[in-house]
Amino acid sequence: MSLSGLDDTPAEPSALFPAPESDAPVPAPARRRGGPAQPSPPRREPSQGAEAGRQLVFFGAEAAEPTVADLAGLLAGPGEVVRMGGTARLSVQVDAAWRVHVLVAELASRGLAASWEPTEGERHAVRTSYTRVLKPLAAAWLHGTAKRPPATFHLTGRRLRLWLAAAGTPEPPDGFLLRVGADDRECWEPIGVALAAAGLAGTLLSPGEGDPAYQITGRRRLARLAELVGRPPRAAPAGAWPT
């Protein structure tokens, strides 16, 4: 089945890294004849803010090659994984055709063929085939049939990019929603901890307030989110991506 009217695929942007600062030692000044040696000037250490800025670049979506491990970002949202024998399959329901296009391309960039089909309520289901490649992801996230993040779970730029592509929605005037699985209550708290660790502390909106989602507000947090997830996919409509 083809996606009518969506011919663009998301391009993988290249990362731009600043040239590393030289680690060469600062030479001490020459000793004056008949006098004590002059002390060397202290080396300037980078501030914590500068280090944090560099870390954001290194963990951003544009700073690493796509890997299957990135698909944990879909599981942080409403994605599901199921096992069959020694294989596993990943699936996620989305609310717009542009998301289908982006996710199919993201899965293909990781060597995974994906299919899609319309579902109720003008939604679409995107799923991979059963494959051994996804077995480690399923083993890490499934406890029986229940989904729960592993203890070592953390959010990188690429994981956030996939989560946002599947279930991220702008909330004017100054917010963004990252939806989570309605039946994944065991995931909500550790996912919130991972968001906070990435500098994106959010407020959990319970199902009583609509679809369960983490609400990210504030210009600084939204700027950090935009830096981490990288440039908008070509298929994303205007305003659907943090900038």
Side-chain angles (χ1 to χ4, degrees), residues 14 68 73 79 139-140 143 153 157 222 230 239:
S14 60
V68 173
H143 299 262
F153 175 70
L222 291 178

Side-chain angles (χ1 to χ4, degrees), residues 139-199:
W141 278 77
L142 290 181
H143 299 262
T145 57
K147 187 179 82 171
R148 188 164 70 242
T152 57
F153 175 70
H154 61 283
L155 285 165
T156 63
R158 285 201 173 274
R159 292 178 181 185
L160 280 164
R161 183 178 180 87
L162 287 168
W163 184 2
L164 195 148
T169 305
E171 187 186 44
D174 190 23
F176 217 92
L177 296 180
L178 292 171
R179 296 194 303 278
V180 294
D183 299 324
D184 300 332
R185 290 182 177 271
E186 292 188 34
C187 296
W188 295 352
E189 181 178 351
I191 294 301
V193 171
L195 277 170

Side-chain angles (χ1 to χ4, degrees), residues 28-43:
R31 181 188 297 266
R32 289 184 179 180
R33 180 172 298 179
Q38 298 298 313
S40 299
R43 296 186 63 180

Side-chain angles (χ1 to χ4, degrees), residues 99-164:
R99 299 186 192 274
V100 177
H101 199 112
V102 173
L103 292 178
V104 168
E106 290 280 6
L107 290 167
S109 72
R110 292 162 174 83
L112 295 168
S115 61
W116 70 277
E117 63 181 8
T119 61
E120 295 181 1
E122 298 185 356
R123 296 175 67 85
H124 312 272
V126 179
R127 61 175 62 94
T128 70
S129 301
Y130 281 98
T131 171
R132 294 182 182 274
V133 174
L134 295 174
K135 182 180 177 181
L137 191 68
W141 278 77
L142 290 181
H143 299 262
T145 57
K147 187 179 82 171
R148 188 164 70 242
T152 57
F153 175 70
H154 61 283
L155 285 165
T156 63
R158 285 201 173 274
R159 292 178 181 185
L160 280 164
R161 183 178 180 87
L162 287 168
W163 184 2
L164 195 148

Side-chain angles (χ1 to χ4, degrees), residues 25-112:
V26 178
R31 181 188 297 266
R32 289 184 179 180
R33 180 172 298 179
Q38 298 298 313
S40 299
R43 296 186 63 180
R44 177 177 295 178
E45 297 295 336
S47 66
Q48 291 183 353
E51 285 298 323
R54 271 197 286 269
Q55 287 177 2
L56 286 177
V57 174
F58 289 135
F59 283 100
E62 301 176 6
E65 293 298 321
T67 68
V68 173
D70 300 334
L71 302 181
L74 293 176
L75 298 180
E80 299 291 339
V81 63
V82 294
R83 287 181 285 204
M84 184 176 69
T87 66
R89 181 179 72 183
L90 184 72
S91 63
V92 62
Q93 286 203 17
V94 299
D95 61 6
W98 74 266
R99 299 186 192 274
V100 177
H101 199 112
V102 173
L103 292 178
V104 168
E106 290 280 6
L107 290 167
S109 72
R110 292 162 174 83
L112 295 168

